[in-house]
Amino acid sequence: MSLRRLKAVLIDLSGTLHIEDAAVPGAQEALARLRKAPVAIKFVTNTTKECKRSLFERLHGLNFDLQEQEMFTSLSLDTSDPNAVVIGLAPEHFNYQTLNTAFRLILDGAPLIAIHKARYYKKKDGLALGPGPFVTGLEYATDTRATVVGKPEKDFFLEALRDLDCSPEEAVMIGDDARDDVGGAQSAGMLGILVKTGKYRAGDESKINPPPHLTCDSFPDGVNYILEHLLGS
Amino acid sequence: MADVCGLECLQGVKGVILDMCGVLYDSGEGGGTAIPGSVEALKRLTDSGLPLRFCTNETQNTRECFVCKLRVMGFNIRVEHVFSPAPAARAIMTERGLRPHLLVHPDLVAEFSGMDCNSPNCVVIGDAADQFSYKNLNQAFQVLIGLEQPVLLSLGQGRYYKETDGLKLDVGVFMKALEYACDVKAEVVGKPSTEFFRTVLRDMHLEPHQVMLKHTHPYLYTQVVMVGDDLVNDVGGAQRCGMKGLQVRTGKYRYVISD
């Protein structure tokens, strides 16, 4: 594969730059080095538990140098349709009663929309179920397919790159979720770098085809690779 | 091999297996209500002398409690004629040295009493109804994802069932959720597992069908019929085992008009 002229770097947030309220070691400094390179940077996330502002404030509090307008979330693609069942990451709502309510609405014809289908995410004290399993369960119950608007949908990545004036072939995605971050980005035509922090588990790199362009220990290593290998003329 | 069509195929029927929820009764408040006409119909079937067995994927109760509830509704049923997933799962786990983490209805836990549940090496999921909270599902997920060789036993795989106040999600939905979360395939104990139906047939000492020559051609004559409301788990499962399935339009049956 010929060396691509890199124009943009998409960076996942939860699990890649930080895990809840702790930064990945060295990530702030790595981000600062990446900013000196001639590339556009966007932060992409499926996080819907917190709104963009509070997520931004948390990252700022961890000394990450970023602007709110550099953040792209699935919520940006959300279309309000009161006749639809929309599922995001809201653990407190995934109880039997609300799931039954959603189930009956879908049987009556309401479309099922998933902000994303992450299987699980990393918390301080271990892994926790994401919305994906509940979306899958409802798909099975109703014999329908959900419309997914976030990662790993191709449109999500294309939309994130739209105002950066660059094609997917000129962009790279860094994330901790092999299927949703890296697999999704590569399906959209981008290069993918998988980091072994956050929700990463040994062997994840073999769960996607083609495998990640690079699998590395953490975000700083990913940045090193980009600066050394992807910015050549 | 030709199949005898129409009612002719039922002439040699020697035994009947009945699903319970959606056929005999609808579950709901106060334990449920008998479906109109079912008590009388079961009496007629029993009086006919045909061997009867009952297959249920009911996992909100032990078999004993469950049969008690049905007797109160007017059904005359013997516990030893009722086949449900929990005792079957217990037998499987004992045979394979499995220690379960249980995500089941609190009233079912007694079916597993005496089992070693320390350091679980498998997850058993049943119809836990309101116990299907995020917290409980997350706990089951964490056990599974932490196992080198995750084993997920699902007591049935139904999508939903009918209660008196509407349709409700069944165990299959949460089985699929855990399968997706952990990248594992559940082993289904209960309907529509062929092994489960074969256990019932062995108890009846009957083969599902018999092959007989008719005008020198071999034909299949059904010996055991399964009656159920669930096309996939009752009828489909029974027919895959070689029985004939009869679907009733009560319970979870939904009449779908195709375009």
Side-chain angles (χ1 to χ4, degrees):
Chain A
M1 188 184 282
S2 60
L3 196 61
R4 300 166 176 204
R5 210 177 89 248
L6 193 67
K7 276 181 164 179
V9 180
L10 297 188
I11 306 172
D12 173 52
L13 289 173
S14 172
T16 301
L17 288 190
H18 75 107
I19 290 159
E20 292 194 281
D21 39 19
V24 165
Q28 299 94 327
E29 183 274 334
L31 178 60
R33 279 192 294 128
L34 188 61
R35 283 205 182 278
K36 298 200 178 116
V39 288
I41 294 176
K42 253 215 191 152
F43 303 92
V44 296
T45 177
N46 267 342
T47 303
T48 53
K49 266 196 307 178
E50 314 166 72
C51 66
K52 211 156 125 173
R53 173 117 275 258
S54 52
L55 178 56
F56 165 73
E57 274 162 13
R58 168 184 273 187
L59 291 163
H60 223 245
L62 291 174
N63 290 322
F64 282 104
D65 168 25
L66 83 175
Q67 306 300 319
E68 209 174 323
Q69 59 264 31
E70 290 175 316
M71 292 170 59
F72 182 79
T73 77
S74 309
L75 284 175
S76 313
L77 296 177
D78 194 12
T79 54
S80 309
D81 180 348
N83 298 322
V85 173
V86 179
I87 303 205
L89 181 57
E92 64 278 12
H93 291 315
F94 292 142
N95 59 54
Y96 194 57
Q97 285 80 9
T98 50
L99 285 169
N100 271 328
T101 304
F103 163 62
R104 291 172 194 172
L105 282 170
I106 300 164
L107 278 188
D108 282 342
L112 173 58
I113 298 170
I115 304 289
H116 61 102
K117 280 189 74 171
R119 287 166 164 78
Y120 48 82
Y121 65 104
K122 177 96 167 68
K123 292 180 70 172
K124 273 183 297 220
D125 53 353
L127 298 176
L129 287 171
F134 299 94
V135 173
T136 303
L138 283 173
E139 287 180 321
Y140 176 70
T142 57
D143 204 15
T144 60
R145 296 303 303 271
T147 304
V148 184
V149 297
K151 294 184 278 180
E153 294 302 301
K154 191 166 143 172
D155 282 346
F156 175 86
F157 295 98
L158 297 179
E159 194 64 26
L161 292 175
R162 186 158 9 159
D163 61 350
L164 297 183
D165 184 33
C166 99
S167 69
E169 288 73 22
E170 295 166 318
V172 65
M173 165 83 197
I174 309 178
D176 66 324
D177 189 321
R179 281 175 168 121
D180 287 2
D181 294 334
V182 180
Q186 294 190 157
S187 298
M190 299 167 57
L191 284 181
I193 295 178
L194 178 63
V195 290
K196 292 183 184 176
T197 50
K199 72 170 68 149
Y200 171 85
R201 288 157 51 90
D204 274 355
E205 55 269 33
S206 37
K207 286 189 179 156
I208 58 170
N209 189 15
H213 177 77
L214 174 75
T215 302
C216 61
D217 284 344
S218 69
F219 177 68
D221 303 287
V223 169
N224 290 344
Y225 177 84
I226 290 172
L227 295 177
E228 280 166 50
H229 299 281
L230 295 185
L231 295 180
S233 53
Chain B
M1 189 180 302
D3 198 358
V4 178
C5 318
L7 290 176
E8 219 188 307
C9 78
L10 297 179
Q11 281 174 354
V13 166
K14 294 185 176 163
V16 178
I17 301 179
L18 295 172
D19 172 40
M20 302 171 88
C21 184
V23 172
L24 301 181
Y25 76 100
D26 278 327
S27 57
E29 283 307 305
T33 42
I35 289 171
S38 287
V39 173
E40 299 72 30
L42 180 61
K43 185 166 188 320
R44 285 197 355 238
L45 198 50
T46 311
D47 290 346
S48 77
L50 272 177
L52 291 182
R53 295 294 184 274
F54 302 86
C55 262
T56 176
N57 272 1
E58 162 64 46
T59 53
Q60 285 195 18
N61 258 310
T62 59
R63 267 185 314 161
E64 285 73 14
C65 285
F66 177 58
V67 168
C68 264
K69 259 191 345 187
L70 286 156
R71 288 214 183 105
V72 165
M73 286 184 223
F75 296 105
N76 187 8
I77 296 176
R78 288 161 55 179
V79 175
E80 56 272 22
H81 285 168
V82 175
F83 290 78
S84 67
R90 187 183 176 131
I92 290 171
M93 288 191 281
T94 305
E95 200 189 332
R96 284 160 58 176
L98 294 171
R99 298 180 301 278
H101 171 91
L102 298 172
L103 178 50
V104 300
H105 197 280
D107 292 341
L108 190 73
V109 174
E111 289 270 24
F112 302 100
S113 70
M115 292 200 79
D116 180 9
C117 295
N118 291 316
S119 271
N121 55 9
C122 83
V123 167
V124 175
I125 182 169
D127 176 12
D130 289 318
Q131 296 301 310
F132 280 131
S133 60
Y134 180 81
K135 177 163 169 278
N136 290 344
L137 283 160
N138 208 32
Q139 261 183 338
F141 158 70
Q142 285 170 341
V143 169
L144 269 180
I145 201 94
L147 293 172
E148 281 258 345
Q149 270 149 357
V151 174
L152 174 60
L153 295 184
S154 184
L155 306 180
Q157 62 174 33
R159 290 154 62 202
Y160 54 87
Y161 53 81
K162 180 166 181 274
E163 287 220 333
T164 44
D165 57 340
L167 297 179
K168 295 212 174 148
L169 295 174
D170 201 354
V171 60
V173 171
F174 302 95
M175 171 195 85
K176 285 286 177 186
L178 287 176
E179 282 188 330
Y180 179 79
C182 303
D183 252 327
V184 299
K185 193 91 185 71
E187 295 174 47
V188 178
V189 183
K191 300 181 287 179
S193 143
T194 302
E195 191 42 49
F196 185 71
F197 285 116
R198 285 211 187 110
T199 305
V200 184
L201 289 168
R202 277 196 294 270
D203 189 71
M204 296 169 93
H205 303 292
L206 286 174
E207 292 295 316
H209 56 251
Q210 199 184 15
V211 176
M212 284 182 9
L213 287 180
K214 184 173 157 150
H215 311 309
T216 74
H217 292 294
Y219 277 86
L220 229 87
Y221 284 88
T222 299
Q223 293 208 131
V224 182
V225 166
M226 165 90 194
V227 182
D229 66 325
D230 187 321
L231 189 64
V232 171
N233 294 303
D234 297 334
V235 178
Q239 297 200 154
R240 259 196 308 279
C241 199
M243 297 184 264
K244 255 300 184 269
L246 288 181
Q247 178 166 32
V248 289
R249 294 196 191 126
T250 48
K252 74 173 61 140
Y253 174 83
R254 272 159 56 90
Y255 187 67
V256 175
I257 300 169
S258 50
D259 292 334

